[in-house]
């Protein structure tokens, strides 16, 4: 691993000055840390506490967290990822969906309140960043306003025996962009740079991490980079992270804006919906961006 480089940091309080850095980070890394995002540190900590207790519930209760779209609900530890489990909430902008999720898990009134506040706050940040990425490319920033978002709360049961093995295998995220509140103490996340080297993403409490996914590459006609990443077990401690995914258009196809297609930049991908692509990834088990080759024009 190349220890000399690290991922870029974007200061959300420093716009328009950071547009150029944002564009370069999105094209070259598909990954950056975000600071000054305006989510109170206390809310981030409270949410971490809540999700830790939800993940500590008996498996019979966690299984009430059923899929709304393919793969959006509870994931039990599996032969492929035995150290990993996750709870999920599809469409976090809907207060109904937030309440259904909380009811499935018998959440207390104060836990519900925290999940609802966090969902609202992180939804605002993800829309802001999605908009800024488009603006950094000279486009209008309102394209993603109606796109659904999904939460996934990840728990890694790391043990002394598992040190050195994978918590989550190498993958890209299928959606447009992901905001990750990573574990503030336990590292292990690694992103792959464009030369194929893994770069460790060390915790930075209070900040958020952004990953661009396959839909960003499709939507931008190949300009934005979908970043490959994995979680390695580095120490025998439980690791908890909260991922929020901005997925893609709900019903319409993921077509690039006309400004990004011309004779020098012919259209790279067929026209399809996000859900079609998500199903393709699940059925082919191509989890690290390889499914993009199947939808290439
Ligand atoms: O737990 C992490 O830090 C990464 C999780 C992740 O990559 C994902 O949920 O897609
Ligand atoms: Fe991921």
């Amino acid at each position: 691993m190349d220890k000399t480089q690290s991922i870029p940091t974007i200061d959300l309080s420093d716009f328009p000055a950071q547009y150029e850095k944002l564009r370069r980070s999105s094209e070259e890394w598909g990954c950056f840390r975000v600071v000054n995002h305006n989510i109170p540190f206390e809310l981030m900590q409270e949410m971490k506490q809540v999700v830790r207790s939800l993940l500590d519930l008996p498996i019979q209760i966690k299984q009430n967290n059923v899929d709304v779209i393919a793969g959006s609900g509870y994931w039990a530890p599996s032969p492929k990822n035995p150290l990993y489990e996750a709870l999920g909430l599809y469409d976090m902008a809907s207060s109904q969906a937030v309440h259904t999720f909380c009811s499935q898990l018998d959440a207390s009134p104060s836990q519900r309140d925290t999940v609802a506040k966090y969902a609202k706050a992180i939804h605002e940040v993800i829309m802001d960043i999605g908009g800024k990425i488009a603006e950094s490319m000279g486009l209008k920033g309102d394209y993603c306003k109606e796109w659904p978002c999904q939460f996934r709360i990840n728990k890694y049961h790391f043990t002394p025996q598992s040190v050195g093995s994978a918590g989550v295998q190498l993958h890209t995220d299928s959606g447009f962009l992901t905001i990750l509140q990573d574990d503030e103490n336990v590292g292990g996340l690694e992103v792959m740079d464009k030369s194929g080297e893994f770069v460790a993403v060390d915790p930075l409490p209070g900040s958020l991490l952004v990953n661009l996914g396959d839909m960003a590459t499709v939507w931008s006609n190949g300009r934005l980079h979908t970043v490959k990443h994995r979680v390695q077990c580095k120490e025998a401690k439980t690791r908890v992270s909260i991922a929020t995914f901005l997925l893609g258009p709900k019903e319409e196809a993921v077509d690039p804006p006309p400004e990004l297609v011309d004779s020098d930049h012919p259209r790279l991908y067929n026209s399809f919906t996000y859900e079609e692509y998500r199903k393709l990834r699940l059925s082919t088990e191509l989890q690290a961006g390889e499914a993009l080759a199947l939808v290439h024009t």
Side-chain angles (χ1 to χ4, degrees), residues 99-114:
H99 284 288
T100 302
F101 171 80
C102 290
S103 301
Q104 287 166 339
L105 299 168
D106 293 341
S108 70
S110 107
Q111 288 177 326
R112 276 175 194 264
D113 188 51
T114 300

Side-chain angles (χ1 to χ4, degrees), residues 171 173 211 229 245:
H171 67 281
D173 295 341
N211 286 335
H229 54 286
F245 304 97

Side-chain angles (χ1 to χ4, degrees), residues 32-214:
F32 46 88
R33 271 223 183 266
V34 169
V35 295
N36 293 325
H37 46 67
N38 283 338
I39 300 189
F41 188 53
E42 305 72 53
L43 179 58
M44 292 173 70
Q45 283 181 313
E46 262 172 52
M47 180 67 176
K48 253 314 162 48
Q49 271 310 111
V50 170
V51 305
R52 279 180 196 277
S53 39
L54 297 179
L55 284 159
D56 280 342
L57 290 165
I59 183 149
Q60 293 83 347
I61 296 187
K62 288 186 280 200
Q63 279 166 342
N64 293 335
N65 175 219
V66 291
D67 281 1
V68 175
I69 60 169
S72 73
Y74 178 62
W75 290 57
S78 66
K80 205 169 171 191
N81 285 314
L83 308 174
Y84 170 79
E85 67 175 322
L87 291 162
L89 159 53
Y90 174 72
D91 201 6
M92 56 188 275
S94 148
S95 49
Q96 184 58 49
V98 171
H99 284 288
T100 302
F101 171 80
C102 290
S103 301
Q104 287 166 339
L105 299 168
D106 293 341
S108 70
S110 107
Q111 288 177 326
R112 276 175 194 264
D113 188 51
T114 300
V115 174
K117 274 195 193 129
Y118 185 88
K120 184 165 183 291
I122 207 96
H123 188 256
E124 277 169 24
V125 174
I126 210 164
M127 289 299 159
D128 181 39
I129 295 173
K132 283 190 163 64
I133 289 173
E135 286 160 5
S136 79
M137 301 165 80
L139 302 166
K140 285 225 284 282
D142 59 358
Y143 65 104
C144 61
K145 286 278 174 281
E146 305 299 324
W147 294 3
C149 292
Q150 178 193 343
F151 255 148
R152 192 157 63 213
I153 297 154
N154 303 302
K155 182 174 184 179
Y156 305 86
H157 300 259
F158 292 152
T159 63
Q161 293 73 35
S162 67
V163 173
S165 64
V168 159
Q169 293 169 334
L170 189 67
H171 67 281
T172 58
D173 295 341
S174 63
F176 187 85
L177 75 85
T178 307
I179 291 188
L180 192 73
Q181 182 183 338
D182 47 341
D183 196 292
E184 53 280 25
N185 302 308
V186 186
L189 179 63
E190 296 178 354
V191 300
M192 193 185 263
D193 71 12
K194 275 196 174 171
S195 72
E197 293 276 339
F198 281 107
V199 177
V201 180
D202 295 325
L204 181 64
S207 71
L208 296 167
L209 186 79
V210 171
N211 286 335
L212 298 192
D214 292 359

